[in-house]
Amino acid sequence: MTTDPKGAGDAGAAATAGGTSAGGVPDPRALEELERDLEALEKHDFTEDTGVEGVRADLRAVWRWGVFAVALALAVFHLWTAFTQTLPPLQQRSFHLALGLGLVFLLYPVKPRHEGPHGPFYGASMAFGVLLSGYIGVGVFSGADTSMYLYLPQWVFALVAVALFGAVGVFLWRTRTGADPSRAQRWAGWTLLVGTALIALDLVTSESGGGFFFLPILGLVLVVVAVAAAVALLRFPSSFPVWLWPVVTRWGLTTVGAVALVYMWLAGVAEWNVLGPALVVLVVVQAARHIPLNLWGMPLFDVVLAGLGLFAGLYMFVNYEEITRSVGIYNPTYVTVGTIGLLLILVAASRVLGPALVVLAGAMIAFAYFGQSMPGFLRHRGSSVDQIVTNLYVGTEGVFGTPLGISATFIFLFMIFAAMLQRTGMERFFTDLALGATGSSVGGTAKVGIVTSAFSGTITGSSVANTVSNGAFTIPMMKKSGYKPEYAGAVEAASSTGGQIMPPIMGAGAFIMIEFTGATYQQILTAAAIPAVMFFVSQYVVVHFDAKRLGIGGLPKHMLPNLRRLMITRGYLIAPVVAIFALLSMGFSPMFSAMGAVVTTVAINVLTQYILMPWRRDEETGELKTRSGRDITSSAVRLSLPIIVAAVAATVLVMVGQWVMAGMDRGMVALATTLLLTLAGIAVAVAFGRWRESGEDQLNLHSFLDGLVGAARLAIPIIVACASAGVIAGVITTTDLGLKLSDGLLGIAESISSGLASLLTAVAASPVLAWTGAGADFGATAVGTLRVDLFLILFMSMIACLILGIGLPTTANYVITATLAAPAIVAVLQGSVDERLAMLLMAHLFVYYFGVLADITPPVCLAAYAASGISGGDPIRTGFYSVRIAIAAFVMPYMFVFSPELLLQEVNWLTGTIAAITGVAGAVMVALGLVGYVDRPLAWYKRVGLIVGGLLLVSGSLVANAVGLVLIVAVLGYEKLRTRREGGPKTVPGVDSVPAKVKANGDDRSVESAGGDD
């Protein structure tokens, strides 16, 4: 990403001027800096904002052209199959994966090892991983050998466990350490203690006969060793040598892989058709990390990995007919290819998405193998190594399942649409539109960030990409207006996260939802419309009243774009977005709608160039002047000739190819056509290389091809995430884990509900309340009326989504929770909602929304980390501010589950309109109550009144709506009367008038004036 070095793009730089005047307007020096930011915004190239870091950028010409060709082939393949007909699922998806893996290893280098102290999440995850591996090992090595168990009463072990943990607690309470443990060590220690307590609880409550049970000796050893390690980490951290952590992180996974291969060889659980390719991949991966051999500037072993990735995918593409005919039949060759493919997917995920998804996918594969050694309800019959590879890679139940299928059809076409919108100036137009509409109002710079992100969400559907793209300018402008760095970053992170729930593109998970729910994309967009408005309006309200509370004003109007002029000159850019909404509303498929939108985007841009070609704008005066006939002819030829030549060449090649390959397999025809069209595009682009340059936001042949390549690069993280999620979903399906966990969630909710019902009945029947005459069914009736079981299921699902979101991208998070938690929500909704589609949408949107919100939920909040890299603030504090700003969004999924009218389900025009109005108003009131400020800080009971009133407004009951409205009118009416009586609103003392303090070395600090305590 490139920006003006004097502008806002200097990531992490301190504000060069901050603070506001007494009237809430930035001081003169801040205004000068803001004006430079706006000038830099006009020059910024939005096509360079991908939201992905660590990609190779200094490729030599041979590899640059190689990457260009592979990416272009991937895009051309999808355009061709969309225009003609998609191939059979396995063929379409295998080609998609093959080229995706090839691009990963050419573009994404090995991630450098972390230097310096690690954070708390690192320590906790390491401890959890070791403890989980040990627990699985207890079951594996104990097996059915009775000599590995102690037969004793349960109460004995329970007493020992209580004594052990009690002694540890007393010891930790009464002792202090001389050297404080690091944050990673502290979190690792407490994770070990909590995890060991849960293991002991599981052992104590395991099945027994007559009060006696078999206690695995290794389980007892694991508990003792883990507790000792936890104590050492918390009180004697120096006992762990300094070199231990680097060695573990450097060689840990390699050692695990090597040990696994040796174990499979010695135990005879795998043949050389698995061991051989696994050993080759392991060696090549380590060689890529440690051996610096280059081939024309590209690491040699990365080239080998790219070649293996292409082979693993294209083998399935070429042999798909034979593979589909032999489903269920063991074939050692397929297992060999599948082993290579599965391991390369995990390696690609570690490079593109980080280790969390790799660890989870690897744990699921181990779970599939060690099924008979699993404890309790997790036990299953298990599968052999050959069966696991066959289930996960050969067929369409694992890697090539629904997630990758959606990525290979809908998602990629929408990525092309997004890339074309970026190159035609849509993102710049949205930014200018937001500046003109909200920049001059109270807290204008923060509102610009919200509105821009809402618009940009229709293009990218990615929280990190939105944060990086928009935040490069909005965050520094917010800092210079007087916001503290963490608050400025939080506004951008919170609003950018909403891009994944903003129609029409939303996130990749929304397309996968089509397959999981059976709904059309139009139905999903309709259901998501009101919640999306509620999401952004509530954030807008939070920012508005925060700015009023802190006395932060807007920008002078003369610095901002003129809205009327903007709509007259560039309003036509909205046409592609209108087109895609119109096509979807007319019932066309998402693929057809995306293709129609792409064609509309290109056609409008080219047509506009022809219309404006006779004029040019004078750089000095800004006036339009007529161009000479020669200039007009030259421009027309430069624009038209490459397109005409490319179109003629493509037509001829397709016609000749169709004639030569008549009667051949449709997939091979698509492959040959893709290669021919790719070569033709490159040849024409090279032939007209001197005409590569085009005007700002203007498409020509070169920028069109560049857009296709950009779409392929944008799709790489999605391809890897969907393939990895397919591994996890495949294991969940083949082991019935989803059904077991859903039953477990339902059982927990039922147990708690029954206990609460008994408690309420006992309280109602007590002598104190006997006069109420409550019957024996009072508790059950109350619990059923309040839907406690549904609330418990929703709460547990929310926690699962947020925990998985710590390390997983939204797509993988949604695939897992849609398989595990959504069926439980649907089961509880049975009977209370008439239409099954409505139940499915409520359940799946619930888990999807919380998967999205995980991007701003500490401790690992990806969007907040991206924003803090620009603001220079603390990422964890940025995450907490993000949660505060988007707090209404954490309540909103509960709202639409209890009130399906918000998803426009089971409504008519009247009830749908009422639901939209009351839903948005309710979200605003909830946000207002959480902010705690209208014209002055609100007392706690008034805040509660606004929150309760907002929740009642969202309810589908007219009586509840009326009560909520009365509450809200009472609170707001009293506050307005008080404001009028006291002569105006009240800001936080001493904050709105503090100017920026310029340090002696020239660095400035922005005023810490936002997000403080209420």
Side-chain angles (χ1 to χ4, degrees), residues 528-539:
I530 295 178
V533 175
M534 293 168 63
F535 184 94
F536 285 104
V537 169
S538 62
Q539 288 190 26

Side-chain angles (χ1 to χ4, degrees), residues 567-634:
M567 293 303 298
I568 292 174
T569 57
R570 286 190 282 167
Y572 66 89
L573 290 172
I574 302 178
V577 178
V578 174
I580 199 169
F581 272 117
L583 291 171
L584 289 169
S585 301
M586 293 166 63
F588 290 103
S589 69
M591 289 185 65
F592 183 89
S593 302
M595 288 303 305
V598 170
V599 172
T600 302
T601 304
V602 176
I604 289 178
N605 187 270
V606 173
L607 180 62
T608 303
Q609 290 184 60
Y610 282 119
I611 293 174
L612 299 178
M613 202 168 284
W615 296 277
R616 65 177 179 84
R617 185 176 296 277
D618 189 276
E619 295 182 359
E620 296 181 358
T621 63
E623 298 178 355
L624 288 178
K625 295 186 176 181
T626 305
R627 302 174 63 187
S628 65
R630 182 176 180 180
D631 287 344
I632 296 174
T633 303
S634 174

Side-chain angles (χ1 to χ4, degrees), residues 432-441 451 540 561 563:
D432 289 344
L433 190 63
L435 280 167
T438 63
S440 61
S441 61
V451 177
Y540 191 94
L563 274 181

Side-chain angles (χ1 to χ4, degrees), residues 32 100 176 200 514 563 678 715 728 759 959 973:
E32 292 178 5
R176 293 291 181 267
I514 295 173
L563 274 181
T678 301
I728 299 169
L759 178 63
V959 175

Side-chain angles (χ1 to χ4, degrees), residues 864-912:
Y865 270 85
S868 64
I870 299 172
S871 70
D874 178 72
I876 300 299
R877 292 186 66 191
T878 301
F880 280 113
Y881 277 124
S882 298
V883 171
R884 178 185 180 276
I885 293 169
I887 191 66
F890 287 83
V891 182
M892 188 173 62
Y894 290 92
M895 294 179 182
F896 63 63
V897 171
F898 284 97
S899 301
E901 297 86 0
L902 294 176
L903 300 182
L904 297 179
Q905 301 299 307
E906 302 181 341
V907 296
N908 52 38
W909 281 103
L910 177 61
T911 56

Side-chain angles (χ1 to χ4, degrees), residues 767-838:
V768 177
L769 298 177
W771 59 271
T772 60
D777 61 345
F778 169 76
T781 303
V783 168
T785 303
L786 296 174
R787 298 308 311 271
V788 174
D789 55 343
L790 177 58
F791 174 79
L792 291 171
I793 289 290
L794 294 176
F795 181 77
M796 289 185 286
S797 301
M798 177 192 74
I799 298 300
C801 293
L802 295 178
I803 291 175
L804 286 172
I806 288 176
L808 302 186
T810 304
T811 305
N813 189 338
Y814 169 67
V815 170
I816 297 169
T817 52
T819 310
L820 298 179
I825 300 175
V826 172
V828 177
L829 288 171
Q830 295 280 0
S832 60
V833 181
D834 296 333
E835 296 184 10
R836 178 166 178 79
L837 177 60

